[in-house]
Amino acid sequence: MIETIVFDVGETITRDDRYWASWADWLGIPRHTLSALVGAVVAQGRDNAEALRLARPGIDIAAEYQAREAAGRGEHLDEDDLYDDVRPALSELRKAGIRVIIAGNQTHRAAELLRDMDLPADLIVTSGEWGVAKPQPEFFRRVLEVAQAAPSATLYVGDHPANDVFPAKAAGLRVAHLRRGPWGCLWADDPDVGAAADWRIDSLTQLTEIVTA
C-alpha cells in the first residue's frame, strides 16, 4: 500500500520550456538551437547542462546563473509552467489520504517559487536546500526521512532514468516512470527502465488509480 508519493520537479511537475528559452535568450543564441542541443545530450545519456557547454564552450554556469539573477533575468515559475494534470492529480491524492511531497534537483530559489504557488503538497524541497542532489543515494535517504513511510510504501515519480528511476529503485522505493519531456519520452520503452519501474504512466492522474487499487 502506498502511503507517500514523492514527485520530481522538472518535466514532472513543471515544463522546462521557459527554463531553456531564458538560457538561449541570455546567451544570445536561437531557442531552437539550444533545444536541439538539449535533445542531443539527452539522446547520449549526458546531463542536459552539457547543452550549455556545447553552445558556449568554457562557460561557467554558476557564474552565469548569478549574473542572470543580478540582471533581473533569473529563475521564474508561475502557473503557466505547471503541467495541466498537476493540481488535479495532487489534490486527488491528498483527498485519498496520501502524503504528497515534491523533491527534485533544483535551486533554493526554485523551492521558494514552487512554495509561493500554493501547490497541494505536504512538503516542497530541493537539492539546493538539502545540499545533495540526485542520483546520489543520500538524496533518497533524505527523501525517505521526509516521506514518513517505509520504502515499500513510498513511491517516487519522475521522468529521468538515471536520476529518478534507477537510484530510487536502488534505495528500495517504488517507482513510476513518467512518459513526459525529452528524457521520459526517449527512454520510455527502454527495457532496463521497464524492468526497474513498478509502473509506467503517461499522466499524473493515473496515480490515483494506482494507490486506490
Side-chain angles (χ1 to χ4, degrees):
M1 181 177 177
I2 301 300
E3 299 174 14
T4 300
I5 297 184
V6 186
F7 294 86
D8 171 45
V9 179
E11 293 301 341
T12 296
I13 296 295
T14 62
R15 302 162 56 103
D16 282 346
D17 306 50
R18 189 201 301 269
Y19 177 83
W20 291 113
S22 65
W23 267 112
D25 294 346
W26 177 257
L27 296 176
I29 61 175
R31 293 181 176 184
H32 174 70
T33 297
L34 187 55
S35 293
L37 290 173
V38 171
V41 299
V42 166
Q44 294 168 6
R46 298 160 63 188
D47 189 290
N48 53 20
E50 290 300 314
L52 298 175
R53 297 187 176 96
L54 288 172
R56 284 288 182 273
I59 187 174
D60 183 334
I61 296 176
E64 292 294 332
Y65 177 89
Q66 293 299 326
R68 287 184 55 189
E69 290 290 335
R73 296 174 62 183
E75 286 189 86
H76 179 82
L77 288 171
D78 61 29
E79 200 70 21
D80 291 338
D81 296 297
L82 294 179
Y83 276 100
D84 292 342
D85 58 358
V86 171
R87 287 192 183 276
L90 271 58
S91 294
E92 286 303 311
L93 289 169
R94 293 186 81 189
K95 288 179 184 177
I98 301 298
R99 178 169 170 79
V100 172
I101 296 173
I102 297 172
N105 278 358
Q106 269 74 33
T107 62
H108 286 82
R109 177 59 177 154
E112 295 170 354
L113 293 167
L114 287 166
R115 286 193 282 264
D116 286 345
M117 295 171 71
D118 194 27
L119 292 166
D122 296 283
L123 177 68
I124 297 173
V125 67
T126 64
S127 60
E129 294 177 311
W130 276 347
V132 63
K134 298 181 292 184
Q136 296 178 54
E138 178 60 25
F139 181 94
F140 291 94
R141 284 195 285 270
R142 297 293 298 271
V143 164
L144 286 171
E145 288 175 5
V146 298
Q148 301 178 11
S152 61
T154 303
L155 172 60
Y156 195 86
V157 182
D159 63 297
H160 197 303
N163 281 353
D164 301 326
V165 176
F166 300 139
K169 194 67 174 182
L173 285 73
R174 309 295 293 279
V175 179
H177 181 244
L178 176 62
R179 187 187 183 100
R180 175 177 286 176
W183 284 97
C185 291
L186 183 62
W187 300 98
D189 298 322
D190 181 83
D192 291 335
V193 174
D198 297 280
W199 296 277
R200 288 191 281 183
I201 60 175
D202 298 307
S203 170
L204 299 184
T205 57
Q206 293 173 254
L207 293 169
T208 301
E209 182 177 347
I210 287 172
V211 301
T212 57

